[in-house]
Amino acid sequence: MKPKSQLEILKSGLNAFRPDVPKPDTRLRRLRRTENLRALMRENRVTVDDFIYPIFVEEQAAERSPIGSMPGIFRETEATLPLAVKDVAKHKVKAVILFGISHNKDHSGSDSMHSGGLLARMIAEAKNASPDTLVIADVCFCEYTDHGHCGVLDHNHDVDNDRTIENIAIQSVIAAEAGADMIAPSGMMDGQVAAIRAALDENGFSHIPIMAYAAKFASAFYGPFRDAAGCALGKGASMGNGDRKTYQMDPANLREAVREAEMDEIEGADILMVKPGLAYLDILARLRDETNLPLAAYQVSGEYAMMKYAAQAGALNYDDVMLENLMAFKRAGADLILTYCALDAAVALDKLADHLEL
Ligand code: PBG
């Protein structure tokens, strides 16, 4: 008889010691054995087609300037914006969303309601630079008002909903006339989608879609954006005037988010967005069950900053956590992702593809 091998001795010893451990019939690890098998089994994919890249544009600035709280992101000038948009196209990212940094602010944000204002100019400049790149207009007033709120204030210093949606309708037509391919209202005013749809349709823009910030939460994750866009609310603001909680949603509320989304769909939204991203994946997953409209997730400035700074501190690998986060949005049901990582992700995905082909 052949002498027993080390392994056989070990096995019989283990069996003698724990004789009744059942062996699994179902072995899920079978399908994870090799990279090719895992690729075959992958349920979701992140591609460069999913991304919308936000760009900040500062008027009357001599040079583009780095944004301290968002490493790798710049405030472009109107002169550098065309280069930035061309670079986006070079990375094969299909869409940008523009945020203005105004030096012509007033009570109502009137600069954004003129055809010569920053909103209109930056859209035209981006469109000229790369006509095939989709240029999305974020329509809101916080970047253009001197008080920093997302609309005109009433005598109680709260945002006046119905006057604001009249202004949003004007702002949207201005954006469409300047060449915007899509309108994205982010002010969280009631009735804003219906007001915009009607105004666009009346002015010959029935072909321009609306991507509604359907569920936008009053989030601390917007901190770096407010720094970048210069739209923080005044510190000395009076009671109830120092935050956006009378219009942005309470982070505690899921059912209300579904109602917001339902209203926007009824009012004519073409795409629904959830914002912020990672902390609100449950909202996204729930909306995926509730609607057949395309869904977008906005991975906001604070999420970007967390990944960048953790990576800088050596705690995380930026590329890996970035791709994992982006995949989480796809898995939860997003079709589109607004992300400051878009260009980094395009490069990382390219590298990954090259590596797999080797
Ligand atoms: C407002 C707007 C904000 C963001 C996008 N649009 C800021 C806010 O509501 O305070 C935040 C985006 C980000 O944090 O990346 N128009």
Side-chain angles (χ1 to χ4, degrees):
M1 208 176 71
K2 233 175 62 179
K4 281 191 169 175
S5 73
Q6 268 309 94
L7 187 64
E8 279 167 327
I9 294 166
L10 202 64
K11 265 195 199 157
S12 62
L14 280 178
N15 282 343
F17 200 61
R18 300 174 61 187
D20 49 5
V21 172
K23 297 287 178 281
D25 292 327
T26 304
R27 292 181 184 271
L28 297 172
R29 291 183 54 196
R30 272 182 206 130
L31 298 180
R32 294 177 204 147
R33 220 162 44 80
T34 70
E35 181 49 38
N36 280 352
L37 253 177
R38 291 191 292 273
L40 217 55
M41 295 307 133
R42 196 152 293 138
E43 296 175 32
N44 292 286
R45 285 197 157 67
V46 176
T47 83
V48 75
D49 295 344
D50 301 324
F51 304 146
I52 298 169
Y53 185 61
I55 300 181
F56 297 97
V57 187
E58 180 171 9
E59 65 182 348
Q60 296 158 16
E63 276 177 66
R64 77 201 281 258
S65 55
I67 296 168
S69 52
M70 301 178 73
I73 306 292
F74 290 78
R75 293 186 195 89
E76 303 295 337
T77 68
E78 289 183 72
T80 62
L81 173 63
L83 305 174
V85 177
K86 283 182 181 146
D87 190 44
V88 171
K90 219 178 289 156
H91 282 80
K92 301 198 168 65
V93 170
K94 313 292 185 287
V96 296
I97 183 163
L98 303 178
F99 295 102
I101 298 159
S102 170
H103 292 299
N104 288 293
K105 300 186 183 196
D106 62 13
H107 177 74
S108 64
S110 64
D111 183 67
S112 64
M113 293 186 276
H114 291 301
S115 57
L118 174 60
L119 176 78
R121 293 199 311 273
M122 67 185 182
I123 291 167
E125 288 154 2
K127 213 50 213 169
N128 275 338
S130 179
D132 288 338
T133 300
L134 296 166
V135 173
I136 303 174
D138 176 270
V139 295
C140 189
F141 287 97
C142 56
E143 295 137 61
Y144 303 97
T145 54
D146 49 18
H147 45 73
H149 276 291
C150 300
V152 259
L153 300 182
D154 62 20
H155 52 272
N156 292 320
H157 298 288
D158 192 10
V159 175
D160 183 328
N161 192 90
D162 298 6
R163 276 173 61 213
T164 297
I165 64 175
E166 284 174 20
N167 289 350
I168 293 176
I170 296 167
Q171 201 186 37
S172 300
V173 173
I174 290 290
E177 280 171 353
D181 295 294
M182 192 183 291
I183 302 295
S186 64
M188 289 301 283
M189 295 298 130
D190 290 321
Q192 63 181 5
V193 172
I196 294 168
R197 187 70 273 156
L200 290 175
D201 291 356
E202 272 167 34
N203 288 278
F205 297 109
S206 59
H207 57 291
I208 298 295
I210 298 172
M211 175 163 66
Y213 286 69
K216 177 174 177 179
F217 291 86
S219 170
F221 286 101
Y222 306 148
F225 176 95
R226 290 177 187 168
D227 166 38
C231 63
L233 293 166
K235 283 214 171 63
S238 57
M239 271 280 290
N241 194 27
D243 57 50
R244 293 178 171 85
K245 291 179 185 170
T246 71
Y247 40 104
Q248 296 183 354
M249 283 189 55
D250 182 341
N253 294 356
L254 167 69
R255 293 194 310 268
E256 189 187 354
V258 176
R259 291 189 72 198
E260 281 282 0
E262 282 169 356
M263 284 313 301
D264 284 352
E265 182 162 359
I266 291 167
E267 289 180 29
D270 299 282
I271 302 167
L272 300 174
M273 191 204 296
V274 175
K275 180 185 174 184
L278 205 58
Y280 297 85
L281 283 185
D282 57 327
I283 311 284
L284 198 59
R286 175 68 183 273
L287 291 189
R288 185 63 297 158
D289 285 340
E290 300 275 345
T291 177
N292 287 317
L293 291 189
L295 289 178
Y298 198 141
Q299 183 186 47
V300 301
S301 55
E303 300 177 65
Y304 175 81
M306 285 199 303
M307 288 190 287
K308 279 281 177 176
Y309 282 115
Q312 279 184 9
L316 294 172
N317 177 299
Y318 173 69
D319 275 8
D320 292 346
V321 291
M322 166 182 71
L323 293 178
E324 189 173 329
N325 266 353
L326 295 171
M327 184 61 88
F329 297 130
K330 296 301 295 286
R331 194 185 63 241
D335 303 288
L336 321 166
I337 306 169
L338 295 94
T339 173
Y340 302 95
C341 300
L343 305 188
D344 294 338
V347 173
L349 289 170
D350 246 10
K351 259 197 248 162
L352 219 58
D354 284 351
H355 175 73
L356 291 181
E357 276 160 25
L358 287 178

